[in-house]
Amino acid sequence: MKLLRFGPPGSERPGIQLGDGTRVDCSGFGGDWDEAFFENDGDRRLRMWLNKEGLKAPRLERGVRLGPALARPSKIVGIGLNYLDHIQETKAKTPTEPVFFLKATTALCGPDDDVMIPRGGAKLDYEIELGIVIGKRARYVSFDKALEHVFGFVLHNDYSERAFQLERGGQWVKGKSCDTFAPLGPWVASLDEVPDFQGLSLALKVNGEMRQHGNTENMVFDVPTLVSYTSQFMTLLPGDVISTGTPAGVGLGFDPPRFLAEGDMVECAIEKLGIARQRVGRER
């Protein structure tokens, strides 16, 4: 199952993408792809609704705007330094335990919306990442039980304003939480759609030039470890997202650094999770 949301910003409605690429308006199902949906057996209920009403539900035109693939979750947990090649390019030490931070959910936007350089920003950077979508409340979950709490996965471009992150008190959340810094989608794919989640290729281009190319098999800490570990420190609610880190090739890693400029086009893709494109703009 591939969940998506469509429509104007702030007024998105739920939909799905079928196996043949057809997109279906699921407004008639009732509710959104939010905490209540995941917590209350939404996957099963949606499948039942589709079997009964799916043929009659409206189809979406291809030009319709896609919003963030999830309604605003309670939190986005970012994982830092989780690919060895990225650790090497940033000259950091390999962590012995996962490093994480929280990213404001107000940063959410659609997968093809513009990303905006914030006021005072000068060092906008990109980070293609696999996002884990929590399907069941997780608190003190063991490694062996971790996948029971995962609904599926989503493409996330974890934008960062490095000037805020590194030069304004050294707090990652400052550089990660600006509006438009969390394009999510085009869809959330359920776990059964992505059984090989630990072997997915990731790629990101800027103006057609390949900048990042990696594979989730190269994570320092894998998906079950991240879910279990994070749940030791906070309760993960249905619909929450854990963004699992990025491979090498970020703008900060070049010498000299290669940050994004107004007008640049960023294209990112993860196998089985689709393609997203963001044009760089600037807050006036």
Side-chain angles (χ1 to χ4, degrees):
M1 182 171 290
K2 296 177 179 176
L3 306 178
L4 54 84
R5 299 170 71 247
F6 67 96
S11 301
E12 291 92 350
R13 292 185 286 167
I16 65 164
Q17 179 161 307
L18 303 178
D20 62 1
T22 302
R23 292 174 176 173
V24 178
D25 182 345
C26 295
S27 301
F29 170 73
D32 204 346
W33 311 146
D34 55 13
E35 182 180 341
F37 170 80
F38 293 107
E39 191 167 40
N40 294 298
D41 203 16
D43 185 15
R44 182 188 63 82
R45 292 186 293 109
L46 179 58
R47 292 180 192 275
M48 290 177 60
W49 180 85
L50 287 169
N51 288 335
K52 184 178 180 181
E53 305 289 342
L55 291 177
K56 297 182 288 185
R59 269 44 182 172
L60 305 185
E61 296 182 5
R62 275 296 174 174
V64 69
R65 171 189 176 267
L66 295 182
L70 294 167
R72 188 181 297 174
S74 79
K75 52 189 166 291
I76 301 170
V77 181
I79 305 297
L81 304 174
N82 200 34
Y83 285 76
L84 286 174
D85 55 357
H86 178 55
I87 293 170
Q88 292 165 358
E89 73 175 347
T90 58
K91 299 179 175 59
K93 293 182 179 180
T94 302
T96 56
E97 296 186 38
V99 175
F100 62 71
F101 56 90
L102 293 179
K103 183 167 183 139
T105 58
T106 48
L108 284 173
C109 66
D112 300 321
D113 290 348
D114 290 350
V115 59
M116 305 301 287
I117 300 172
R119 295 180 187 179
K123 298 179 179 180
L124 179 64
D125 209 347
Y126 49 82
E127 295 185 11
I128 185 171
E129 305 200 4
L130 175 71
I132 306 167
V133 178
I134 300 299
K136 186 171 74 172
R137 184 183 295 253
R139 182 171 182 263
Y140 297 118
V141 172
S142 69
F143 175 89
D144 293 341
K145 299 290 186 181
L147 288 182
E148 296 177 11
H149 297 263
V150 173
F151 173 83
F153 301 94
V154 66
L155 168 59
H156 176 219
N157 194 346
D158 177 26
Y159 280 105
S160 310
E161 175 47 61
R162 301 297 190 189
F164 295 174
Q165 178 184 349
L166 302 175
E167 301 167 13
R168 300 287 296 275
Q171 295 179 358
W172 286 13
V173 68
K174 290 180 182 177
K176 300 284 191 175
S177 293
C178 300
D179 289 357
T180 73
F181 274 23
L184 208 65
W187 56 71
V188 175
S190 54
L191 186 58
D192 60 296
E193 296 263 3
V194 196
D196 52 345
F197 56 84
Q198 218 62 73
L200 303 176
S201 61
L202 310 87
L204 183 143
K205 298 178 181 178
V206 178
N207 300 327
E209 176 195 0
M210 186 71 75
R211 293 282 188 89
Q212 291 185 279
H213 190 247
N215 194 291
T216 57
E217 67 183 359
N218 296 320
M219 289 181 183
V220 177
F221 303 104
D222 63 13
V223 167
T225 298
L226 293 176
V227 173
S228 174
Y229 183 88
T230 305
S231 77
Q232 310 306 309
F233 299 91
M234 64 186 77
T235 298
L236 295 168
L237 298 179
D240 282 354
V241 176
I242 300 176
S243 197
T244 58
T246 197
V250 300
L252 182 65
F254 288 89
D255 186 15
R258 301 176 67 184
F259 298 119
L260 297 169
E262 188 174 1
D264 283 349
M265 175 60 76
V266 181
E267 179 179 305
C268 48
I270 299 180
E271 185 181 356
K272 299 185 179 180
L273 296 178
I275 300 172
R277 299 176 180 88
Q278 298 100 37
R279 178 76 66 183
V280 179
R282 180 180 290 277
E283 295 279 6
R284 303 299 181 186

